[in-house]
Amino acid sequence: ELSGVEFTTSKPVVSYRETILGESSRQCLSKSPNNLNRVFMTAAPLTSDLCDAIDNKIFNVHEEPKRMTRLLVDTYGWNAAETKKIWCFGPEHTGPNVVVDMTKGAQYL
């Protein structure tokens, strides 16, 4: 209740989804509240083979890290160093979206 107004909530009628067709041409920036930390992001699509494997539970996103690295490198052509920097899968920690830390080094220290 906000200012005496009642709200009725329900589940969304249409789910919201986006598709990445190619590597993003923009680099997005987010700053911490104290402006001391910056996070830059770009987006790139996963291969359809990997997305299908994750969706169909052929590729287990909760796999032991060494085995996951081997699978991603041998089957899907990932760089071994990048597989060790996977932050999460989503949505719901199991979907075919991956956040990977691609940090090369600290700047301006």
Side-chain angles (χ1 to χ4, degrees):
E1 198 172 300
L2 178 69
S3 300
V5 178
E6 292 186 24
F7 288 93
T8 303
T9 61
S10 66
K11 291 187 177 185
V13 177
V14 177
S15 63
Y16 179 75
R17 297 174 192 248
E18 290 186 20
T19 300
I20 299 171
L21 299 175
E23 187 163 345
S24 60
S25 59
R26 291 185 180 175
Q27 187 178 56
C28 298
L29 165 66
S30 178
K31 294 179 184 178
S32 64
N34 63 5
N35 290 328
L36 295 177
N37 302 299
R38 296 178 181 185
V39 176
F40 294 91
M41 293 188 89
T42 58
L46 296 174
T47 62
S48 60
D49 293 345
L50 180 55
C51 289
D52 291 340
I54 293 170
D55 279 337
N56 297 323
K57 309 291 189 235
I58 296 168
F59 180 86
N60 181 6
V61 298
H62 301 293
E63 188 69 66
E64 189 266 328
K66 286 184 182 179
R67 183 163 154 64
M68 184 186 298
T69 293
R70 268 300 106 220
L71 254 152
L72 288 170
V73 170
D74 296 343
T75 308
Y76 302 104
W78 279 48
N79 178 318
E82 292 173 5
T83 65
K84 295 174 183 172
K85 293 182 150 194
I86 292 175
W87 279 5
C88 64
F89 288 87
E92 310 285 327
H93 305 292
T94 59
N97 297 310
V98 184
V99 177
V100 181
D101 177 8
M102 300 294 290
T103 305
K104 302 294 183 202
Q107 297 178 349
Y108 309 116
L109 291 179

